[in-house]
């Protein structure tokens, strides 16, 4: 878990603003659910054999002996809220987005943390391929607006539960002779949830995994039609993608369309965001059968990619530095600061008791555009000596306090 420092602010704010602005352009509204939920919300939905539940979830008992979890992901909590607030009776689909911290006991490394931040959207109540494509298009637009270059979209369909049962038989039969050569983790997955062998990072290049039968050959007619519609809409929208039958996603609640966005330079922590359809999830949580589709994207990974791509953005600096001098200076400086701030300008107050030269140095270090000097004389006259900084030979002028904001205001 890590700290965000003031130097990170500009980039983080840009990323968050962009995510929320694009969500707004698609008419998605914000939802914010608690960071702590009853552990069963995740245990019942995400899947026992998912990385999240089997080894990454922070679970604890509270003083009332309730079993709680720090949320490892956003979708299950949003769906819990959909049921709890009767959103099934709102006009469908319900379009929601969230932005906030998630917690996973992952192995920390660059781009992989135990507290991570996700932006995600959920489109609940629409089973059509058009909803899948709307969500993919929203995610693509976010990356485009952020200026993230060279991102590849890979999509797949994992069908419905019946498809997966038929596919699992074939996959088990195919992998059986190769089990002794698979990684320890995959051997365990082979026993508990064989589909997830395909999701193994360690065995991604193993010939048995590479040569595994494709789930796309097992789709029933409904699943196949849905997937063809998704691809057709993406084609007509001009969205580039690759079909990758090995994408199965880590979570059990997915059905039909699943996808990942990956930057060009590969690597273990490379997926910036992923999504899929989860038509059975709301039922698993005790609600009525309701289709849904969504994605989540990791903000830390977006920030990492943006930093690799471009020079750091300049830190914010104040418009005005006010230097208080003498006895009456500090109080008058605070009154002036209030006046200028109410005009929407950022003001940094200098420390009282310092000399004029030291005040100038502080103003320059702060990157202020103007300095206003308020000493005893100015306090008495209700004025300040204002000077533009960084411009050689800029004149100092005495300005009545009410007009300082006008002088400082960027033209
Ligand atoms: P990975 O395969 O990299 O472990 P995941 O399949 O666990 O990812 P999801 O649950 O789909 O990831 O989460 C969506 C996004 O959240 C990921 O694409 C990634 O950008 C981000 N993410 C997931 N885990 C972490 C983490 N531990 N630290 C930072 N970001 C993360
Ligand atoms: Mg993971």
């Amino acid at each position: 878990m890590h700290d965000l420092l003031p130097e990170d602010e500009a980039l983080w704010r840009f990323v968050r603003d962009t995510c929320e602005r694009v969500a707004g352009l698609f008419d998605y509204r914000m939802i914010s659910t608690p960071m702590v939920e009853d552990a069963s919300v995740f245990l019942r939905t995400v899947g026992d054999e998912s990385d999240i539940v089997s080894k990454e979830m922070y679970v604890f008992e509270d003083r009332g002996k309730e079993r709680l979890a720090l949320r490892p992901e956003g979708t299950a909590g949003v769906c819990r809220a959909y049921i709890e607030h009767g959103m099934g009776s709102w006009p469908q689909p319900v379009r929601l987005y969230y932005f906030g911290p998630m917690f996973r006991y992952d192995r920390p490394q660059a781009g992989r943390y135990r507290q991570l931040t996700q932006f995600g959207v959920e489109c609940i109540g629409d089973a059509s391929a058009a909803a899948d494509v709307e969500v993919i298009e929203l995610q693509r637009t976010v990356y485009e607006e952020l200026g993230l270059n060279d991102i590849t979209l890979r999509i797949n369909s994992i069908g419905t539960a019946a498809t997966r049962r038929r596919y699992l038989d074939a996959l088990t039969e195919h992998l059986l002779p190769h089990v002794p050569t698979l990684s320890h983790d995959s051997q365990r997955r082979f026993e508990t949830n064989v589909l997830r062998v395909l999701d193994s990072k360690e065995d991604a290049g193993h010939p048995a995994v590479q040569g595994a039968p494709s789930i796309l050959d097992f789709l029933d007619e409904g699943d196949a039609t849905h997937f063809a519609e998704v691809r057709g809409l993406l084609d007509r929208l001009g969205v580039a993608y690759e079909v990758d039958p090995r994408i199965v996603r880590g979570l059990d609640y997915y059905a039909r369309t699943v996808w990942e966005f990956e930057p060009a330079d590969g690597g273990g922590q490379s997926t910036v965001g992923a999504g899929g359809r989860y038509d059975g999830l709301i039922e698993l949580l005790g609600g009525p059968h309701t289709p849904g589709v969504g994605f989540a994207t990791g903000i830390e990974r977006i920030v990492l990619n943006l930093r690799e791509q471009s020079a750091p953005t300049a830190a914010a600096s104040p418009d005005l530095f006010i230097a208080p001098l003498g006895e009456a200076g500090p109080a008058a400086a605070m009154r002036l600061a209030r006046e200028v701030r109410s005009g929407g300008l950022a003001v940094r107050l200098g420390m009282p008791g310092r000399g004029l030269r030291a005040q100038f140095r502080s103003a320059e270090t702060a990157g202020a555009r103007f300095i206003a000097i308020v000493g005893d004389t100015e306090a008495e006259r209700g004025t300040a000596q204002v000077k533009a900084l960084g411009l050689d030979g800029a004149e100092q002028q005495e300005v009545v306090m009410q007009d300082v904001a006008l002088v400082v205001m960027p033209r």
Side-chain angles (χ1 to χ4, degrees):
M1 301 188 189
H2 62 158
D3 301 311
L4 269 190
L5 300 178
E7 67 199 37
D8 303 315
E9 188 200 350
L11 191 50
W12 272 76
R13 196 181 286 273
F14 165 68
V15 174
R16 178 168 188 156
D17 286 351
T18 304
C19 291
E20 298 196 311
R21 183 170 58 79
V22 172
L25 293 176
F26 283 73
D27 196 28
Y28 281 62
R29 303 291 162 85
M30 191 181 82
I31 184 164
S32 181
T33 62
M35 275 175 248
V36 181
E37 294 265 0
D38 196 298
S40 66
V41 169
F42 308 107
L43 295 173
R44 267 150 66 184
T45 56
V46 176
D48 296 343
E49 263 312 295
S50 65
D51 286 348
I52 291 183
V53 165
S54 65
K55 53 190 189 203
E56 295 174 1
M57 204 150 73
Y58 283 89
V59 185
F60 61 97
E61 220 174 57
D62 72 4
R63 286 165 190 262
K65 304 275 183 242
E66 302 282 356
R67 203 157 165 240
L68 303 180
L70 297 184
R71 64 178 183 193
E73 58 105 39
T75 303
V78 169
C79 288
R80 192 264 314 135
Y82 178 94
I83 299 169
E84 197 169 321
H85 300 282
M87 292 186 209
S89 66
W90 299 5
Q92 303 292 299
V94 175
R95 294 177 163 93
L96 302 167
Y97 78 84
Y98 60 85
F99 189 104
M102 309 292 159
F103 301 85
R104 298 182 184 184
Y105 196 79
D106 231 326
R107 192 160 65 83
Q109 52 205 290
R112 194 173 285 285
Y113 311 102
R114 289 180 174 174
Q115 178 177 327
L116 55 134
T117 313
Q118 284 184 342
F119 163 71
V121 315
E122 314 296 352
C123 176
I124 307 177
D126 183 347
S128 74
D132 303 22
V133 173
E134 171 175 295
V135 169
I136 292 173
E137 171 69 358
L138 197 168
Q139 190 174 5
R140 189 200 63 77
T141 306
V142 166
Y143 299 141
E144 180 176 87
E145 292 290 305
L146 287 169
L148 267 183
N149 305 324
D150 284 338
I151 289 205
T152 307
L153 166 63
R154 291 183 297 134
I155 65 172
N156 189 25
S157 173
I158 56 170
T160 39
T163 312
R164 282 200 296 283
R165 270 193 298 277
R166 280 183 287 124
Y167 175 66
L168 290 182
D169 291 341
L171 183 62
T172 308
E173 195 177 318
H174 166 83
L175 288 176
L176 190 59
H178 306 283
V179 170
T181 66
L182 292 172
S183 68
H184 187 73
D185 202 33
S186 292
Q187 292 185 5
R188 188 178 54 82
R189 292 176 182 201
F190 182 82
E191 294 302 327
T192 51
N193 181 350
V194 64
L195 193 60
R196 301 216 56 253
V197 174
L198 300 183
D199 196 40
S200 155
K201 290 181 186 68
E202 262 173 276
D203 288 324
H206 194 293
V209 172
Q210 293 275 330
S214 166
I215 195 164
L216 293 173
D217 298 330
F218 290 76
L219 298 185
D220 67 24
E221 211 185 311
D223 296 342
T225 307
H226 185 94
F227 194 47
E229 278 172 18
V230 169
R231 283 175 304 166
L233 286 168
L234 290 173
D235 289 339
R236 270 169 284 163
L237 256 181
V239 174
Y241 61 87
E242 288 167 17
V243 173
D244 182 346
R246 276 187 304 276
I247 294 184
V248 294
R249 305 295 307 126
L251 318 183
D252 279 4
Y253 56 57
Y254 283 117
R256 293 194 160 170
T257 322
V258 291
W259 67 87
E260 295 183 356
F261 278 88
E262 197 167 313
D265 51 357
Q269 279 63 257
S270 58
T271 309
V272 280
R277 177 163 279 288
Y278 47 81
D279 294 346
L281 175 56
I282 289 186
E283 238 170 331
L284 278 177
L285 285 166
H289 176 77
T290 312
V293 57
F295 75 80
T297 187
I299 303 303
E300 289 81 2
R301 288 193 198 171
I302 288 176
V303 166
L304 265 178
N305 278 286
L306 287 177
R307 285 225 166 96
E308 270 164 29
Q309 246 175 248
S310 58
T313 38
S317 45
D319 299 295
L320 176 68
F321 184 97
I322 305 180
L325 298 174
E327 282 289 304
M334 281 189 186
R335 281 202 308 278
L336 175 60
R338 178 192 282 170
E339 179 91 28
V340 176
R341 286 176 185 138
S342 74
L345 297 168
V347 177
R348 181 184 294 206
L349 271 177
M351 226 192 276
R354 285 194 171 167
L356 192 57
R357 293 242 326 253
Q359 297 283 5
F360 263 93
R361 268 202 307 277
S362 305
E364 268 152 21
T365 312
R369 291 188 300 112
F370 283 85
I371 185 167
I373 300 146
V374 184
D376 290 323
T377 320
E378 288 79 17
E380 193 177 320
R381 288 202 284 220
T383 61
Q385 304 289 339
V386 181
K387 187 175 188 293
L389 294 168
L391 297 171
D392 280 340
E395 285 205 17
Q396 184 167 308
Q397 47 171 325
E398 185 164 4
V399 180
V400 293
M401 286 203 181
Q402 290 79 357
D403 292 346
V404 170
L406 286 176
V407 174
V408 174
M409 196 78 73
R411 271 176 262 277

